[in-house]
Amino acid sequence: MQFKELGLDNRLLKNLSHYDFKKATDIQKQAIPVAIAGKDLLASSKTGSGKTLAFVLPMLHKSLKNKAFSAKDPRGVILAPTRELAKQVYGELKSMLGGLSYEATLILGGENFNDQVKALRRFPKFIVATPGRLADHLEHRSLFLDGLETLVLDEADRMLDLGFAPELRRIHNAAKHRRRQTLMFSATLDHAEVNDIAAEMLDAPKRISIGVSNEEHKDITQKFYLCDHLDHKEALLERILEEAEYKQVIIFTATRVDTDRLTKWLNEKQLKAIALSGNLNQTQRNTIMSQFERHVFKILVTTDVASRGLDIATVTHVINFDMPKHTEEYVHRVGRTGRAGNKGDAISLVGPKDWDSFKRVEAFLQQDISFSELEGLKGKFKGFRPKKPAFKKKAQAAKGKAQQKKATPKKPAKRDKTFFNNVAVGDSVFIPKKKPKPTDSE
């Protein structure tokens, strides 16, 4: 389906033509008409499916076609769980605002609060923000949402997992009027908190689910390698990077300490690597991402802070040096490659400490995963056998106790009655004679 068939404003179609966006993706085909009609939306689609335009385009179309509720309040607010994702969404929004007389601003945690207050005093019509910082501005009364027309929650499941439910409710209550439209996007609709907060914030929403999060990505080749220990993992990683024809690589680790250690190790091997982790301030993170996007560094080592929001078409390989703790994060990590129709490779290294996480991923993907091997680097670790369910042991123990209780009691030992006061009495019963009663004469 062409974008022009969706009933979008011609000014938006013109901007789309500049960026070679002609055919709409599945989520765009289904979500845009519903949003243009003014209905609330609860949608799910896999990563890299083009969902950003699925809410940006109808939000802008609505603003172009209708009069604003308020001269000063923003017309649209887009909330994202992480600073990286918010920056990506803001970039796509700015590209669609080309030639339009609308101003947008980006409000992120970790950046100068007073500078953001100054930006908000210019009364931008569209705001992209992280929920925590936007809630702070509401509390300090540097922002009002009484005239908000469209509220978008991108990656709602992730925001809730990060504990932003109170902030989302505060934002919702600040813009609680019957004419507000709410568009909620989530990686999965099988999330209890997502459904709970959707019931509070959305009015009779249309539900759309495009594919499932565990559906196999056709453009991504997935491989798994078993590892014995840390040295074995590093040897496999070095061989993989030697043999792979990569443009750019993202390597995911479990902790910030692992990120720094592995980056140092890679640079010692003359591989240009840079580390990104959650303890850096926003300026440092921006610098690192800018260097990676400009190919100053070919390898980015990071934690799950970069598993969502990075949209770099030249990332050809994603390597899970450590398996993720949360199953859904595997899908988001892998989704950093194979974007915009490009092919990608996702490689996971599974050691003894990763085994439980691997089994959860295997169950989530609903696939029987086989392991690959590299010549000369075959390990001894073959995985762990599944543990016997604990309830069986308890049942057996309870059964054993029950059997012990039912056991017949032991008969008391027979006494030897052949002697009484060291005198043999045989089988006769000893009956002591009674003393005769005294008579009256006595």
Side-chain angles (χ1 to χ4, degrees):
M1 181 181 284
Q2 302 278 332
F3 278 106
K4 62 183 179 181
E5 299 175 55
L6 297 173
L8 291 167
D9 188 278
N10 286 330
R11 286 165 285 186
L12 297 176
L13 293 175
K14 184 179 178 181
N15 285 342
L16 284 167
S17 65
H18 290 164
Y19 294 92
D20 295 325
F21 295 142
K22 294 180 181 179
K23 290 185 178 181
T25 63
D26 290 339
I27 185 64
Q28 292 163 359
K29 285 186 287 187
Q30 294 199 37
I32 290 174
V34 172
I36 287 177
K39 296 180 180 179
D40 283 3
L41 179 65
L42 179 57
S44 171
S45 66
K46 61 187 179 182
T47 183
S49 60
K51 62 180 172 57
T52 305
L53 286 180
F55 56 74
V56 165
L57 290 174
M59 180 181 70
L60 296 180
H61 175 88
K62 184 178 180 180
S63 300
L64 291 168
K65 296 296 183 182
N66 301 312
K67 188 177 179 181
F69 296 158
S70 167
K72 294 183 178 180
D73 295 344
R75 304 189 70 174
V77 168
I78 302 171
L79 299 176
T82 65
R83 290 175 282 190
E84 283 71 29
L85 181 57
K87 286 174 64 180
Q88 178 196 326
V89 171
Y90 181 70
E92 292 201 39
L93 172 63
K94 289 286 284 184
S95 70
M96 289 299 107
L97 286 174
L100 303 179
S101 58
Y102 292 138
E103 187 177 347
T105 192
L106 182 63
I107 303 295
L108 303 176
E111 295 194 347
N112 190 284
F113 191 88
N114 292 327
D115 289 344
Q116 293 174 354
V117 171
K118 292 175 184 177
L120 292 171
R121 284 176 182 165
R122 293 195 292 268
F123 307 120
K125 293 305 173 188
F126 300 99
I127 296 173
V128 181
T130 48
R133 179 50 63 92
L134 194 73
D136 290 341
H137 282 288
L138 289 172
E139 187 176 343
H140 286 80
R141 300 180 68 80
S142 51
L143 172 69
F144 296 92
L145 299 178
D146 301 296
L148 184 66
E149 298 170 26
T150 307
L151 176 62
V152 179
L153 286 80
D154 191 15
E155 306 258 5
D157 57 325
R158 179 66 167 160
M159 284 192 276
L160 293 169
D161 289 341
L162 291 172
F164 284 126
E167 288 78 6
L168 294 180
R169 289 188 171 93
R170 197 179 309 163
I171 294 164
H172 163 64
N173 291 328
K176 197 173 182 180
H177 58 83
R178 62 183 179 82
R179 292 187 296 174
R180 187 197 84 198
Q181 183 184 25
T182 308
L183 310 177
M184 184 181 289
F185 287 76
S186 172
T188 174
L189 299 183
D190 298 326
H191 192 293
E193 269 195 289
V194 167
N195 287 290
D196 288 344
I197 207 159
E200 293 180 40
M201 299 177 65
L202 277 65
D203 180 22
K206 171 73 174 177
R207 295 174 70 96
I208 296 174
S209 182
I210 306 296
V212 291
S213 56
N214 61 358
E215 186 176 301
E216 188 174 358
H217 201 306
K218 295 179 181 178
D219 293 328
I220 300 174
T221 302
Q222 300 180 58
K223 288 184 178 181
F224 295 81
Y225 294 90
L226 286 170
C227 312
D228 293 339
H229 40 65
L230 180 60
D231 291 342
H232 191 195
K233 271 191 179 185
E234 291 179 348
L236 283 167
L237 176 61
E238 186 175 6
R239 176 77 67 82
I240 289 166
L241 293 174
E242 283 176 0
E243 296 181 354
E245 296 180 3
Y246 62 85
K247 293 182 179 178
Q248 286 187 290
V249 182
I250 298 179
I251 301 174
F252 287 99
T253 63
T255 66
R256 293 195 298 258
V257 175
D258 295 330
T259 298
D260 294 334
R261 183 195 59 77
L262 191 60
T263 303
K264 183 179 178 182
W265 179 83
L266 288 167
N267 284 314
E268 288 172 355
K269 300 288 182 183
Q270 306 302 315
L271 298 168
K272 297 191 72 175
I274 192 168
L276 175 68
S277 56
N279 63 331
L280 303 174
N281 62 43
Q282 191 59 43
T283 303
Q284 291 171 320
R285 293 166 79 163
N286 291 344
T287 302
I288 289 168
M289 287 313 305
S290 174
Q291 290 175 326
F292 185 62
E293 289 174 5
R294 289 186 289 110
H295 291 230
V296 176
F297 294 92
K298 287 192 173 185
I299 301 173
L300 177 70
V301 187
T302 181
T303 57
D304 281 328
V305 70
S307 66
R308 305 186 188 209
L310 293 185
D311 189 7
I312 303 173
T314 51
V315 174
T316 54
H317 290 71
V318 165
I319 299 175
N320 291 310
F321 191 80
D322 300 306
M323 293 295 288
K325 292 180 181 178
H326 302 289
T327 309
E328 292 81 3
E329 287 305 319
Y330 174 82
V331 178
H332 290 288
R333 285 183 179 188
V334 168
R336 296 311 99 202
T337 186
R339 301 182 74 84
N342 295 314
K343 300 293 182 182
D345 289 288
I347 298 167
S348 299
L349 307 181
V350 182
K353 292 182 179 179
D354 303 295
W355 186 253
D356 289 342
S357 297
F358 163 74
K359 294 305 288 183
R360 287 195 294 270
V361 167
E362 186 179 41
F364 180 76
L365 297 177
Q366 298 179 8
Q367 300 174 19
D368 291 326
I369 295 173
S370 58
F371 291 97
S372 302
E373 293 178 358
L374 291 176
E375 188 177 348
L377 289 174
K378 186 177 179 181
K380 295 179 181 179
F381 177 64
K382 303 299 179 185
F384 297 121
R385 292 181 180 179
K387 297 177 181 178
K388 292 182 179 179
F391 71 89
K392 284 188 176 180
K393 292 181 179 178
K394 290 181 180 178
Q396 289 173 357
K399 188 177 179 182
K401 287 181 180 179
Q403 288 176 349
Q404 288 177 7
K405 288 179 181 178
K406 290 179 181 179
T408 55
K410 293 181 179 180
K411 293 181 180 181
K414 290 183 179 182
R415 295 177 183 176
D416 186 6
K417 296 181 179 179
T418 55
F419 286 86
F420 180 74
N421 290 339
N422 294 325
V423 177
V425 295
D427 293 330
S428 61
V429 180
F430 178 75
I431 303 174
K433 293 181 179 180
K434 290 182 181 181
K435 189 176 181 180
K437 294 181 181 180
T439 59
D440 293 338
S441 61
E442 291 178 354

